[in-house]
Amino acid sequence: MAENLIGQTLGTYQIEAEIGTSRWGAVYRASQSSMNRTVALKTVSPEMAALPGRTQHFLAEMQAAAQISHSNIVTIYEAGCVAGINYCAMEYVNGPALMDFLRRGQAVDEQHLLQTIASVSRALDFLWQKQIPHQPLEAKNILVDARGTVKLINVLPLDNMPVDAAKEDMLTVGLIIANLANEISPVTARVGELVERMVGAAGRKPFTTLTELAQAATDLERELFSSATAATRAAPAKKLSKLGLGLALLIGGLSATGLIWVWQHNKNNIVPTAVTRPADFGTMVQIPAGEFFYQAGPKKNLKEFYIDRYEVTFGDYQQFLAALAAGAKVKEDLFAPRQKNHTPDNWDQMIAAIQRQQPLLVDKREYWLTWDSPVVGVDWFDAFAYASWKGKRLPTEEEWEKAARGTDTRRYPWGNTALTTPPTKHTEVYALPEDKSPTGVCGMGGSVSEWTGTSPTRSTAVIRGGSRRDPPTPVTNRRADAIRETRSDTIGFRCAADKEVK
């Protein structure tokens, strides 16, 4: 159990409150009286410090980050160790959440949106100009201080595979901005056009550099919000709807992870109403160390691990393919085919079904796919490469069973009786909340079967779990002879890790 340091003094820092967690441990707000400033104090938990080489890794990562000096990147002050507690003091960013920063009432604050695009682009361009390897940008790592200045944090975790090309950064920024804007309200046509250019939407001239993007965002912000043109903003402006922006992204062959399709009626079909995405979407579940009943034999003992709460989705996998198209390199399995193509079979048809809001016909039954449906059509090597790209791995079959079963001898993840939930056309990974294991992992009883990291031979791997085509499948069922290059519309996967990956 990590120690609570609130109220304690660590060197010259008086710890005031816990403000978050990182992959290393708790993050605190602290007061440094010698410098008369408030700092964020990132600490290494006792559990993490006990792992071989982790404190040295932490220090190396903080030292590398301390070499970066940019107005839009959080400043690292110092790292040290007091009373056995390793810490790093950094700039404290006290401001609104990014979503709140970009919101003006019920509308998007387009001036701040453009300023955010420019600031993030300049920070990323700085990293490229200085040839500093950095991890892919995530929305949670974009902070805003009390003055509205945008700051990037956690740009250098050394465990993650770095971005391979500046255009991958540009794409990611576009997807993040589009997703945030869609969460709030429609945007005006001029701003929408800029975002469409960022993601390479069909019919839009793409930006060639981050410098060009930053300047374009700055110029548009000045044009739209200078005092000379402020009066004209009162006139009605053509709006780009949420659905329109979503289509612009999808037509370009790209999609933001988490961009939920907006279902509407059309003249030919009645499309199911979208299922509400739960707040824990995209998280991992901690599975404690200890014994559990494995199969019908004796108990097994596993060390602590983390596993995805939900299966990998079409949206997740599309982001992976977009990164590959932008030049990202991934670690391949030793026995993967040369020049392995990670695009699933029938991918275009499945994506078209999502884009056009049309059902996918499977065994004479219609399924309505969304970006939050579990990805299928991936073979074992595809799943391995995706997990590596995310800084994770595939779960062993023992880990899969413990996550699905917990520590008792239940037959199904939810208990010993088959569910009698009425059939549904919904296929989202969270569409059947009853399918939840005692550990809190979802969809292990019959969403799609899942690849595991257990490989009896160099050409086979173990598949666990049932699928929608099967009757309720006991958690002990296993297929041990699946050819690793098998692609099926009933097989997907989820990832695991030895520590939480956010």
Side-chain angles (χ1 to χ4, degrees):
M1 180 71 68
E3 183 180 1
N4 189 328
L5 301 178
I6 297 173
Q8 299 187 33
T9 299
L10 202 63
T12 62
Y13 303 100
Q14 178 67 36
I15 298 176
E16 299 172 342
E18 184 172 339
I19 57 175
T21 58
S22 74
R23 63 201 181 98
W24 297 105
V27 181
Y28 297 95
R29 185 186 73 235
S31 174
Q32 187 181 21
S33 57
S34 61
M35 300 297 291
N36 191 29
R37 66 183 174 191
T38 300
V39 304
L41 211 63
K42 180 181 292 187
T43 62
V44 180
S45 70
E47 295 85 357
M48 185 67 74
L51 298 175
R54 298 312 293 169
T55 55
Q56 294 88 338
H57 192 151
F58 173 79
L59 182 60
E61 188 173 295
M62 297 306 109
Q63 287 175 337
Q67 306 307 308
I68 301 175
S69 178
H70 190 274
S71 60
N72 295 117
I73 298 178
V74 165
T75 301
I76 304 296
Y77 297 138
E78 67 164 351
C81 182
V82 175
I85 300 174
N86 289 271
Y87 69 89
C88 173
M90 63 185 68
E91 181 180 1
Y92 175 61
V93 180
N94 181 23
L98 183 60
M99 178 69 76
D100 295 334
F101 178 66
L102 298 180
R103 187 189 297 276
R104 184 180 64 247
Q106 298 302 311
V108 178
D109 188 330
E110 295 189 344
Q111 184 170 17
H112 281 158
L113 185 78
L114 293 169
Q115 291 171 353
T116 299
I117 293 172
S119 297
V120 172
S121 298
R122 290 194 180 97
L124 294 172
D125 189 49
F126 168 83
L127 296 176
W128 283 105
Q129 295 298 329
K130 297 295 183 180
Q131 298 183 333
I132 299 174
H134 57 281
Q135 73 159 347
L137 184 67
E138 297 182 67
K140 67 181 181 181
N141 290 336
I142 305 175
L143 308 181
V144 184
D145 69 16
R147 296 169 297 178
T149 303
V150 174
K151 301 276 186 176
L152 302 190
I153 194 171
N154 296 334
V155 296
L156 291 181
L158 302 183
D159 291 339
N160 290 8
M161 188 163 294
V163 177
D164 281 333
K167 64 181 180 179
E168 183 181 342
D169 272 337
M170 195 160 7
L171 166 69
T172 302
V173 176
L175 295 177
I176 289 173
I177 292 297
N179 196 32
L180 289 173
N182 266 346
E183 288 284 331
I184 301 172
S185 79
V187 295
T188 54
R190 296 289 302 282
V191 176
E193 180 181 343
L194 181 105
V195 177
E196 290 169 5
R197 291 184 63 190
M198 293 168 67
V199 300
R204 299 297 186 191
K205 180 182 178 182
F207 293 106
T208 57
T209 66
L210 287 161
T211 301
E212 180 189 5
L213 170 58
Q215 190 59 55
T218 299
D219 290 344
L220 183 57
E221 189 258 330
R222 288 172 178 169
E223 177 186 343
L224 296 179
F225 299 98
S226 66
S227 56
T229 60
T232 65
R233 293 285 296 171
K238 179 182 177 182
K239 291 286 185 178
L240 185 69
S241 70
K242 291 184 183 181
L243 181 58
L245 182 54
L247 282 172
L249 299 176
L250 298 173
I251 290 171
L254 305 166
S255 68
T257 299
L259 187 62
I260 298 179
W261 191 264
V262 181
W263 297 112
Q264 293 184 339
H265 295 286
N266 62 38
K267 63 182 180 180
N268 297 317
N269 298 291
I270 302 299
V271 184
T273 304
V275 181
T276 301
R277 175 187 288 178
D280 59 9
F281 181 79
T283 61
M284 300 191 80
V285 175
Q286 179 184 18
I287 309 297
E291 292 186 330
F292 75 106
F293 289 98
Y294 178 69
Q295 299 287 294
K299 289 184 178 181
K300 285 198 173 186
N301 198 331
L302 293 181
K303 66 179 183 179
E304 177 187 276
F305 65 96
Y306 289 80
I307 191 166
D308 288 346
R309 189 178 302 274
Y310 299 99
E311 291 153 327
V312 174
T313 67
F314 276 95
D316 295 328
Y317 200 83
Q318 176 73 346
Q319 191 176 46
F320 169 60
L321 294 180
L324 293 181
K329 303 298 182 183
V330 297
K331 179 183 177 181
E332 301 282 3
D333 178 71
L334 181 64
F335 300 113
R338 287 190 176 183
Q339 298 180 332
K340 170 66 173 164
N341 180 2
H342 293 297
T343 302
D345 296 335
N346 303 316
W347 185 252
D348 290 343
Q349 292 93 319
M350 290 187 288
I351 297 305
I354 296 174
Q355 293 175 346
R356 297 170 184 171
Q357 306 176 68
Q358 293 177 344
L360 190 69
L361 192 63
V362 179
D363 284 349
K364 298 182 179 180
R365 288 191 64 185
E366 292 183 346
Y367 291 98
W368 294 90
L369 296 180
T370 75
W371 293 109
D372 285 355
S373 300
V375 68
V376 293
V378 291
D379 66 21
W380 187 91
F381 297 107
D382 299 327
F384 178 95
Y386 173 91
S388 172
W389 175 71
K390 293 292 288 185
K392 302 179 184 180
R393 58 176 173 80
L394 295 178
T396 66
E397 68 162 321
E398 290 87 358
E399 289 174 335
W400 191 97
E401 186 167 325
K402 184 175 183 180
R405 193 178 204 182
T407 57
D408 58 30
T409 58
R410 63 183 56 211
R411 181 174 176 79
Y412 305 107
W414 53 83
N416 291 313
T417 305
L419 291 177
T420 58
T421 303
T424 175
K425 290 185 177 181
H426 288 296
T427 58
E428 289 89 350
V429 294
Y430 42 78
L432 190 62
E434 297 89 344
D435 186 357
K436 177 183 290 187
S437 77
T439 62
V441 184
C442 301
M444 305 186 87
S447 175
V448 292
S449 301
E450 299 177 21
W451 289 110
T452 72
T454 300
S455 295
T457 71
R458 60 184 291 178
S459 62
T460 62
V462 176
I463 292 176
R464 299 300 300 265
S467 72
R468 288 177 178 267
R469 290 187 182 180
D470 305 321
T473 304
V475 293
T476 53
N477 278 22
R478 59 193 295 270
R479 177 183 170 188
D481 59 351
I483 301 301
R484 293 206 281 182
E485 291 182 72
T486 300
R487 282 176 167 169
S488 167
D489 60 9
T490 65
I491 303 174
F493 68 102
R494 73 181 75 223
C495 301
D498 295 328
K499 60 185 180 183
E500 187 174 14
V501 179
K502 296 183 178 180

